[in-house]
Amino acid sequence: MKVKVLIVEDQFIEANNLKIILKKAGYEICTIARSVPEALQILADEHPELVLLDIYLDGPQTGIDLAHTLREKNIAYVFLSANSNKETLNAAKATNPYGFLVKPFREKDVLIMLEVALFAHQQKTETKSLAARPAAASAEKNVFPQIIGHSKKLLEVLDHAKIVGPAETSVLILGESGTGKELIAQAIHQLSNRRNGKLVVVNCGALPASLIESELFGHEKGSFTGATEKRIGKFEEAGGGTIFLDEIGELPLDLQVKFLRVLQQKEIEPLGGKKKSINIRVIAATNRNLEEEMATGRFRMDLYYRLNVFPITLPPLRERKEDIPDLANYFIRLYAQKENKAINGLSDEAMRSMQNYHWPGNIRELENLMERSVLLTSGRIITSVPIPVSVKKGVHTFKTDLKTMTENERDHILAALEISEWKIYGEGGAAEMLDMNGSTLHSRMKKLGIEKKIMPR
């Protein structure tokens, strides 16, 4: 059966061009609407399955107004836009469309976007019955023992994981570094029908650019210089299970194209080999703002909407401070046992200092500080936590001996280096914690006279 599409566009030439493109591709086209009232009448009479929706139309109502009605009627829609006004685009994004097509249109982009929108809508419809149950009912009990905390924001995340776990839907996990994205991926995998298969974890940001394709898709012996034996790629390794692609925003554009093909066709092509069908579920994660990456051309729009079927956003630790005591005590028990120390917890003063800190490194930073505190403590109670003083939040007392911006920058970098144990690059490194490029951090260290610390043996 042909998919029926409604075009809501007040410019005749653009509407007609879209009509020609879609009819040629086999879509059934409804009567074209130039205004919101016309569109509402066509919705009632012709029952389209997908709507291409311009933002500015004839009359006082906009496409954004119509989008709310489409959302209520569970009809998929994609915005058409030539407008770059940030406020307007943010209002359009807030309606949760299935995508944006930027004018002027290319035929290829139009067809890909419609395919992605229809796929995403189908996936969301399949999980709708699960998502309809009250969140509180499924959040009463934490069925994820490896995830510590009871805050409302965390329980909402766990509820979303329970909803999407049994489905085959792709999941995009968003959040700052150190918030526990891999733990949520593990939880989703354990709740799925693929739990007996492997969960293969790939850190896209840690792979050398020259090896990413071989690492993901594999290669045949002799396919390139140095390929002395056959290699099974991560996608094939995850067959029957789940692949977790951490830091998906780091993938180069050419690999994004190939990854999109894997999602669409469920097949891979090893270097020097033949195409192979694969049976996997994809969970991806990033700490980047992918919408900004799309705007700058660093991330493909079609891949974003293919992945963004079921997004889960993890809150930073500063937004779930009621979980700090549970997390702190968990890590204290863990490292006290490793060090064979009898430590019972934190003093009230130490806990207050932790509650007043804003945790730029999130749970990873808290774990590092608890490990260090356990090592430094000789008694049964930790009375002091080595929180970086220069990045404490909430101190409003003005002093006459204020530091210069350069001195503050030096202290800030030193604090991050201390927390990361002087690791600069990679996951958990100071560059990641400071949200800057590793080479840039190294240059700033050199300019500020910060030399790498030699850790005592």
Side-chain angles (χ1 to χ4, degrees):
M1 184 180 294
K2 292 183 178 180
V3 174
K4 190 180 289 188
V5 179
L6 167 61
I7 300 169
V8 185
E9 167 64 72
D10 63 344
Q11 299 296 317
F12 172 78
I13 293 176
E14 290 178 344
N16 196 53
N17 285 342
L18 282 171
K19 181 179 179 179
I20 293 169
I21 290 170
L22 297 181
K23 288 193 77 170
K24 181 181 173 183
Y27 289 94
E28 183 179 346
I29 311 302
C30 298
T31 307
I32 293 174
R34 294 169 53 85
S35 67
V36 171
E38 285 182 16
L40 290 172
Q41 188 60 54
I42 295 167
L43 287 174
D45 295 341
E46 302 184 38
H47 310 290
E49 297 160 80
L50 187 143
V51 178
L52 293 178
L53 178 59
D54 194 14
I55 293 179
Y56 291 109
L57 302 165
D58 279 357
Q61 292 177 291
T62 67
I64 297 173
D65 297 318
L66 181 58
H68 295 294
T69 301
L70 296 174
R71 179 64 60 180
E72 290 172 6
K73 292 179 177 292
N74 195 32
I75 298 174
Y77 61 96
V78 171
F79 274 117
L80 311 173
S81 178
N83 191 294
S84 59
N85 180 277
K86 188 173 182 180
E87 186 176 337
T88 301
L89 291 177
N90 284 340
K93 288 175 186 175
T95 69
N96 296 315
Y98 286 100
F100 281 85
L101 279 167
V102 180
K103 301 176 184 180
F105 312 118
R106 294 190 308 171
E107 180 176 349
K108 182 180 177 182
D109 291 338
V110 171
L111 297 179
I112 287 175
M113 181 54 69
L114 261 67
E115 180 189 345
V116 170
L118 289 166
F119 169 82
H121 186 63
Q122 179 187 2
Q123 295 293 304
K124 285 192 175 180
T125 301
E126 288 175 359
T127 58
K128 189 178 179 181
S129 60
L130 289 169
R133 71 180 189 271
S138 59
E140 287 173 358
K141 184 181 178 183
N142 182 2
V143 295
F144 310 110
Q146 74 275 34
I147 299 173
I148 309 300
H150 60 274
S151 63
K152 181 181 177 182
K153 287 193 174 184
L154 178 63
L155 291 179
E156 288 175 354
V157 167
L158 299 185
D159 189 66
H160 289 159
K162 292 172 195 174
I163 289 168
V164 77
E168 285 290 299
T169 306
S170 298
V171 180
L172 180 61
I173 305 175
L174 306 167
E176 297 177 7
S177 293
T179 49
K181 295 187 285 294
E182 186 173 338
L183 281 179
I184 296 298
Q186 291 171 1
I188 292 170
H189 175 69
Q190 286 303 316
L191 285 166
S192 74
N193 296 325
R194 298 173 176 270
R195 67 180 68 88
N196 295 324
K198 292 182 70 173
L199 171 65
V200 176
V201 178
V202 181
N203 186 335
C204 300
L207 295 175
S210 59
L211 297 178
I212 291 179
E213 189 168 359
S214 172
E215 185 76 16
L216 294 179
F217 307 124
H219 65 252
E220 296 295 324
K221 181 179 178 179
S223 57
F224 57 87
T225 303
T228 56
E229 58 184 21
K230 179 179 178 178
R231 181 190 183 95
I232 300 297
K234 296 296 185 182
F235 279 98
E236 190 172 354
E237 186 184 339
T242 304
I243 189 166
F244 173 53
L245 297 169
D246 199 7
E247 300 308 337
I248 188 73
E250 304 292 336
L251 271 184
L253 281 169
D254 58 334
L255 263 295
Q256 290 178 30
V257 175
K258 294 183 179 181
F259 178 43
L260 179 63
R261 194 176 303 128
V262 172
L263 286 175
Q264 290 172 330
Q265 301 174 3
K266 298 295 183 183
E267 64 180 22
I268 58 169
E269 186 173 356
L271 293 173
K274 297 180 180 178
K275 291 180 181 179
K276 298 179 180 180
S277 296
I278 53 170
N279 173 23
I280 59 168
R281 182 187 193 174
V282 174
I283 301 176
T286 184
N287 62 358
R288 293 190 176 217
N289 185 324
L290 291 185
E291 290 186 352
E292 290 182 2
E293 296 295 300
M294 284 192 296
T296 58
R298 290 192 295 265
F299 201 83
R300 291 180 62 93
M301 182 182 290
D302 47 6
L303 177 56
Y304 171 75
Y305 283 106
R306 175 70 71 160
L307 286 171
N308 199 43
V309 176
F310 199 103
I312 295 178
T313 302
L314 298 189
L317 188 55
R318 62 183 171 274
E319 293 181 7
R320 43 176 288 215
K321 287 196 171 182
E322 56 266 57
D323 291 333
I324 289 176
D326 289 342
L327 287 162
N329 286 315
Y330 170 80
F331 289 124
I332 288 169
R333 287 193 300 270
L334 177 66
Y335 290 108
Q337 186 177 15
K338 283 186 178 181
E339 299 299 324
N340 198 25
K341 288 187 173 185
I343 299 176
N344 297 328
L346 291 151
S347 69
D348 291 343
E349 179 61 30
M351 183 58 73
R352 275 194 296 272
S353 69
M354 293 179 68
Q355 293 283 8
N356 290 332
Y357 185 50
H358 70 293
W359 300 105
N362 292 296
I363 299 171
R364 186 182 296 127
E365 181 182 5
L366 187 148
E367 180 180 359
N368 290 341
L369 284 177
M370 290 303 94
E371 182 180 9
R372 187 175 176 189
S373 298
V374 167
L375 292 171
L376 294 173
T377 298
S378 56
R380 290 183 173 272
I381 297 292
I382 295 174
T383 58
S384 178
V385 177
I387 289 175
V389 176
S390 62
V391 289
K392 271 189 176 178
K393 207 174 185 181
V395 179
H396 302 291
T397 305
F398 292 94
K399 298 181 180 180
T400 56
D401 56 344
L402 288 174
K403 292 183 179 181
T404 65
M405 292 295 289
T406 301
E407 289 172 331
N408 278 324
E409 181 184 11
R410 190 175 192 279
D411 286 350
H412 195 67
I413 290 174
L414 280 169
L417 290 166
E418 287 286 344
I419 292 166
S420 64
E421 297 180 348
W422 287 77
K423 177 182 176 183
I424 298 174
Y425 302 94
E427 186 174 358
E432 181 185 63
M433 195 175 299
L434 295 168
D435 194 22
M436 63 194 302
N437 183 277
S439 299
T440 304
L441 174 57
H442 191 268
S443 298
R444 294 304 301 161
M445 288 170 62
K446 188 174 181 181
K447 185 172 182 179
L448 295 167
I450 300 173
E451 296 182 358
K452 187 171 183 180
K453 184 177 178 182
I454 306 298
M455 299 298 290
R457 295 183 179 274

